[in-house]
């Protein structure tokens, strides 16, 4: 009889635990918010110390919800006292990478000046914003080593151009000829191998959704093009 009572109590406790888990804010948010995300999944839910909001991480984005999931907030949260963009700081932290893990041997390497400062840039050869970045900021900046990953996401032609550039006798020159001067790279032998597919997989792993994307040695990134002053300011901020 005693064993039976213990079993019943244990089962009751387990059932209460399951019910409790189903009634948590995380469960409520997943149930009410996730169906509104067009098929996207919530990677994590974290209670924030401000405004009773819960942070929802969806891919590389941050959304906010109340604890019941009745309201969804899309936008930036600022600290009113310091004007600090809390959302941006959080996204930057979540999207940090380990720069030393990048397969630099699969990138084009260009050294300008003393080359002491180092960046990695993901670009599609058919990306207009990438060309503008090359023709202005990256052409004008000095004392930097630029590792360029040809990240082909726009068309099949991007793969073709990247392969031809990779297989050229002088890869950096072939890249600049195309990106800066619109000189189409010559076709290369079909048996020439390129890291095209590996770079696509790397970009997806790093959640790069568009080009250009610039990575820095502290693990942070700038998604999109940036002017010379902005890039210099970012490089100068890295210790």
């Amino acid at each position: 009889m005693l064993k039976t009572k213990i079993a019943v109590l244990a089962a009751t406790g387990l059932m209460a635990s399951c019910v409790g888990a189903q009634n948590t804010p995380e469960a409520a948010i997943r149930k009410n918010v996730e169906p509104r995300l067009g098929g996207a999944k919530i990677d994590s839910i974290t209670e924030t110390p401000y405004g009773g909001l819960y942070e929802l991480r969806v891919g590389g984005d941050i959304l906010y919800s109340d604890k019941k999931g009745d309201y969804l907030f899309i936008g930036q949260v600022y600290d009113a006292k310091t004007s600090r963009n809390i959302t941006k700081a959080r996204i930057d932290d979540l999207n940090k990478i380990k720069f030393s893990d990048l397969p630099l041997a699969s990138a084009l390497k260009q050294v300008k000046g003393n080359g002491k400062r180092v960046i990695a840039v993901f670009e599609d050869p058919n990306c207009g914003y990438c060309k503008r970045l090359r023709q202005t900021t990256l052409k004008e900046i000095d004392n930097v080593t630029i590792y360029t990953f040809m990240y082909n996401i726009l068309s099949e032609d991007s793969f073709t151009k990247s392969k031809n550039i990779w297989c050229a006798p002088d890869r950096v020159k072939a890249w600049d000829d195309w990106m800066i001067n619109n000189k189409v790279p010559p076709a290369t032998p079909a048996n020439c191998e390129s890291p095209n597919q590996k770079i696509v997989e790397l970009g997806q792993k790093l959640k790069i959704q568009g080009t250009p994307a610039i990575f820095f040695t502290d693990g942070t990134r700038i998604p999109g093009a940036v002017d010379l002053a902005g890039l210099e300011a970012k490089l100068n901020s890295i210790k």
Side-chain angles (χ1 to χ4, degrees):
M1 179 66 71
L2 180 60
K3 289 183 179 180
T4 302
K5 287 184 177 180
I6 292 173
V8 170
L9 288 172
T12 303
L14 180 60
M15 185 177 298
S17 175
C18 292
V19 170
Q22 292 173 351
N23 291 332
T24 63
E26 179 174 343
I29 290 169
R30 287 191 184 279
K31 178 182 178 182
N32 294 326
V33 174
E34 211 162 49
R36 310 176 195 173
L37 300 179
K41 297 296 183 181
I42 300 173
D43 298 315
S44 67
I45 299 173
T46 307
E47 185 177 6
T48 74
Y50 39 86
L53 294 176
Y54 282 75
E55 172 197 286
L56 319 183
R57 183 167 64 86
V58 182
D61 296 320
I62 296 293
L63 311 177
Y64 299 96
S65 169
D66 65 302
K67 69 178 182 180
K68 294 182 179 179
D70 290 335
Y71 298 95
L72 184 62
F73 304 88
I74 303 174
Q76 309 288 307
V77 174
Y78 286 81
D79 185 322
K81 295 180 180 178
T82 64
S83 297
R84 178 172 175 262
N85 187 330
I86 296 173
T87 303
K88 182 181 183 303
R90 180 68 173 140
I91 290 175
D92 288 346
D93 185 57
L94 289 172
N95 287 335
K96 271 191 173 181
I97 68 165
K98 189 175 181 181
F99 194 89
S100 60
D101 285 347
L102 291 175
L104 300 181
S106 296
L108 310 179
K109 181 181 180 181
Q110 181 180 20
V111 180
K112 305 185 70 175
N114 61 32
K116 288 184 178 180
R117 304 179 297 178
V118 181
I119 61 174
V121 188
F122 284 72
E123 299 175 78
D124 186 297
N126 287 317
C127 162
Y129 290 107
C130 300
K131 286 191 172 187
R132 188 180 305 171
L133 181 70
R134 281 282 157 181
Q135 294 164 0
T136 55
T137 304
L138 297 185
K139 184 179 179 181
E140 297 163 1
I141 197 166
D142 200 10
N143 297 326
V144 64
T145 297
I146 304 170
Y147 287 97
T148 301
F149 290 92
M150 294 181 286
Y151 182 44
N152 307 302
I153 57 175
L154 294 180
S155 68
E156 282 299 319
D157 180 67
S158 297
F159 283 88
T160 300
K161 284 190 173 73
S162 290
K163 180 178 180 180
N164 290 339
I165 290 168
W166 182 262
C167 297
D170 187 334
R171 295 168 180 169
V172 172
K173 183 179 183 302
W175 178 253
D176 280 350
D177 279 348
W178 167 244
M179 297 298 281
I180 297 174
N181 303 315
N182 288 316
K183 182 180 178 181
V184 178
T188 55
N191 62 356
C192 177
E193 296 184 0
S194 75
N196 277 352
Q197 189 55 43
K198 183 164 68 173
I199 301 308
V200 169
E201 293 169 1
L202 173 65
Q204 292 171 345
K205 179 182 177 182
L206 298 178
K207 296 182 174 66
I208 302 174
Q209 299 176 341
T211 54
I214 307 172
F215 289 82
F216 302 88
T217 53
D218 65 351
T220 60
R221 72 181 76 184
I222 292 179
V226 61
D227 62 16
L228 181 60
L231 184 55
E232 286 285 3
K234 174 60 182 178
L235 287 169
N236 291 335
S237 72
I238 299 173
K239 306 301 182 184

